[in-house]
Amino acid sequence: MFMVLGAAYFVMITLSALLLRDPTEEELQLLHASESKSQDLEERTPIKPKPHPSLSKDVDLAGFLCDGRGYLLWAMMTATTMAGILVIGTYKTYGNQHGFTDRTLTIIGSITLVVNGAGRLFYGALADTIGFKMSMVACFSLQALMVLFFVPSTISPILYCLVVCGTIANYGANFPLYPTATAEIFGTKYVGQNYGVVFSGFAAAGILLKLGLSAGFLSYETLILLTSFGSGIGAIGAYSLTSPWWDKKEI
């Protein structure tokens, strides 16, 4: 079964990758022309925030590592993915401990597969509409509140399903939001290198959670609260990403 799934994933990913390409010069010109035509409408009904002056230049990896916002994005990635990683890895065990049947937890797991992808689509579209900063603030604030209800939600399988799915939907949002933020702040030319550094925060989150779960002085419930706190800190960090204060700071 795993061999079949692995082969299927390989074929789908390979074929999908072959369809990707950079836009041609003609397509870019059409895009810019379309943006110019819609400029008057955007001024009458402004939806997107005005871009900050520092968000329009291409910054290479060396410049990224000299900018405090790069480290802030990394720390935010670490803090805001921990809740989702913890819930994904433990919701079934924790549910079993509170009397939920394997059938119920399997159904919850199936639903989370859908909401994980739906969260990425929703927050990606939201970032295109209102900008990455406010989308991050909304997502991480909601995640902080959602995780606070994880432990009390075990009173009902339906409530438990809603909280688990909500947490995982917000977790999935990290993956369209952080590449967008990295590209908007540091430009698109070196976004692969720069986002690679930011994404390493995801690995750091897993390591920290492993250490936390192995620590004898931390209960599971305490760890859940800490991940909620991390999401809240991420929301504050997101709000400060476009502050003019960063223009005067270099490491």
Side-chain angles (χ1 to χ4, degrees), residues 175-192:
F175 302 105
L177 291 178
Y178 280 103
T180 301
T182 305
E184 289 285 344
I185 296 172
F186 299 103
T188 58
K189 185 175 182 180
Y190 303 100
V191 67

Side-chain angles (χ1 to χ4, degrees), residues 42-43 47 56 77 98 122 125 135 154 170 172 185 193 210:
E42 289 179 356
E43 290 177 353
I47 298 177
S56 59
M77 171 68 89
H98 288 79
F122 172 77
S135 298
T154 54
N170 286 312
I185 296 172
Q193 301 174 28
K210 175 62 177 177

Side-chain angles (χ1 to χ4, degrees), residues 119-156:
R120 302 175 192 223
L121 293 173
F122 172 77
Y123 280 104
L126 187 65
D128 290 339
T129 303
I130 66 173
F132 73 88
K133 184 178 79 171
M134 296 312 299
S135 298
M136 282 181 155
V137 171
C139 175
F140 302 154
S141 299
L142 181 60
Q143 183 75 314
L145 292 174
M146 191 70 66
V147 177
L148 285 177
F149 288 97
F150 178 75
V151 173
S153 70
T154 54
I155 61 174
S156 163

Side-chain angles (χ1 to χ4, degrees), residues 2 6 29 38 54 74 100 102-103 133 140 145 156 170 231 233 235 250:
F2 288 107
Q29 291 174 2
S38 63
S54 64
W74 183 91
F100 298 144
D102 286 338
R103 181 175 181 273
K133 184 178 79 171
F140 302 154
L145 292 174
S156 163
N170 286 312
S231 295
I233 293 297
E250 286 192 354

